[in-house]
């Protein structure tokens, strides 16, 4: 009898690194529970590697401020993202969470309660990011996490950019659509929108632009 067993395709170096980092990165019980709850609602969450990056960016960005660091999270996964950011915030740091779905905000509130984050360190705005960010104080935030549909990247970035202080960080997860923006044969609406956003963000004045192979291809903008 012939052997019909086929071997799995070997991991790329990038995939192997991600697999190792995710497997060896410790996460708190609160983050684990928040990830499980999000999964039950079909909400995609950052992996451990991306979470560590968020904590590091929040730590570096908030260190530039004398006190009261602040972050904005526009994402259905605000609970998990917020816990990673909170790990890099000082005790007086505040998280502002934006999402139109009340279920998503309820998940975030429970995640924050489980982690012992005080109510005065969190606020929730049940609205679309593009509609509500105009109400936030400009030049007052150290980090903005902007998880939006590809068609909304440029509009949301335009609203978020004035909120950041000099040295602040804007993180756009999934901006590169797992690399499909490089495939010229892809002409669907999302890919075209992401490709256009990528081109325009690279030319943004007053920004240092970094693109990373995490979070399905993240674009990170550092405000000069």
């Amino acid at each position: 009898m012939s052997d019909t067993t086929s071997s799995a395709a070997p991991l790329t170096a990038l995939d192997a690194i991600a697999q190792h980092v995710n497997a060896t990165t410790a996460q708190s019980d609160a983050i684990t529970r928040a990830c499980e709850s999000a999964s039950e609602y079909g909400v995609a969450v950052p992996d451990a590697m991306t979470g560590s990056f968020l904590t590091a960016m929040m730590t570096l960005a908030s260190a530039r401020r004398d006190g009261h660091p602040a972050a904005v999270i526009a994402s259905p996964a605000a609970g998990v993202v917020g816990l990673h950011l909170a790990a890099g915030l000082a005790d007086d740091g505040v998280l502002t969470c934006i999402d139109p779905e009340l279920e998503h905000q309820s998940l975030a509130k429970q995640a924050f309660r489980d982690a012992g984050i005080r109510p005065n360190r969190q606020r929730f705005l049940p609205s679309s990011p593009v509609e509500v960010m105009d109400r936030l104080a400009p030049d007052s935030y150290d980090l903005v996490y902007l998880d939006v549909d590809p068609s909304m990247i440029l509009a949301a970035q335009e609203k978020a950019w004035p909120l950041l202080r000099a040295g602040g960080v804007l993180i756009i997860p999934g901006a590169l659509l797992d690399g499909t923006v490089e495939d010229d044969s892809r002409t669907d609406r999302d890919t075209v929108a992401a490709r256009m956003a990528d081109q325009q963000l690279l030319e943004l004045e007053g920004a240092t632009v970094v693109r990373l192979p995490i979070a399905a291809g993240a674009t990170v903008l550092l405000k000069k």
Side-chain angles (χ1 to χ4, degrees):
M1 184 174 63
S2 61
D3 183 2
T4 58
T5 302
S6 59
S7 59
L11 290 175
T12 65
L14 192 59
D15 287 339
I17 291 169
Q19 188 178 89
H20 172 73
V21 173
N22 285 325
T24 57
T25 298
Q27 297 198 113
S28 68
D29 291 341
I31 289 178
T32 299
R33 288 193 296 270
C35 288
E36 291 171 350
S37 297
S39 177
E40 292 175 2
Y41 283 84
V43 176
V45 300
D47 59 14
M49 180 169 63
T50 302
S52 295
F53 171 76
L54 294 177
T55 299
M57 288 295 97
M58 189 74 258
T59 301
L60 293 171
S62 61
R64 300 173 62 92
R65 187 193 282 261
D66 292 336
H68 304 292
V72 175
I73 306 167
S75 172
V80 176
V81 173
L83 292 183
H84 286 299
L85 295 181
L89 274 172
D91 289 341
D92 60 350
V94 176
L95 298 170
T96 296
C97 303
I98 303 172
D99 190 272
E101 297 294 332
L102 294 179
E103 285 184 343
H104 297 161
Q105 296 216 345
S106 294
L107 288 174
K109 291 176 182 178
Q110 183 62 55
F112 294 168
R113 282 195 295 270
D114 287 347
I117 297 175
R118 299 190 307 275
N120 64 345
R121 294 188 60 201
Q122 51 184 282
R123 67 171 172 167
F124 293 86
L125 303 176
S127 184
S128 162
V130 173
E131 294 173 356
V132 78
M133 283 192 290
D134 279 340
R135 304 178 198 170
L136 302 181
D139 196 32
S140 299
Y141 295 87
D142 304 287
L143 185 148
V144 177
Y145 183 88
L146 201 57
D147 181 8
V148 296
D149 289 337
S151 62
M152 298 300 296
I153 289 176
L154 290 176
Q157 178 275 325
E158 185 177 355
K159 299 286 188 178
W161 195 242
L163 304 181
L164 290 168
R165 302 168 71 243
V169 183
L170 174 60
I171 300 173
I172 309 175
L176 303 181
L177 298 184
D178 263 328
T180 57
V181 291
E182 182 67 19
D183 185 353
D184 292 337
S185 68
R186 294 286 296 267
T187 57
D188 57 278
R189 178 181 176 184
D190 281 351
T191 303
V192 170
R195 189 178 292 133
M196 181 181 300
D198 183 48
Q199 293 170 350
Q200 292 194 31
L201 292 177
L202 283 173
E203 300 171 358
L204 183 65
E205 291 187 9
T208 298
V209 183
V210 181
R211 293 172 294 173
L212 300 171
I214 60 172
T219 296
V220 180
L221 307 175
L222 309 176
K223 193 169 189 179
K224 297 180 179 178

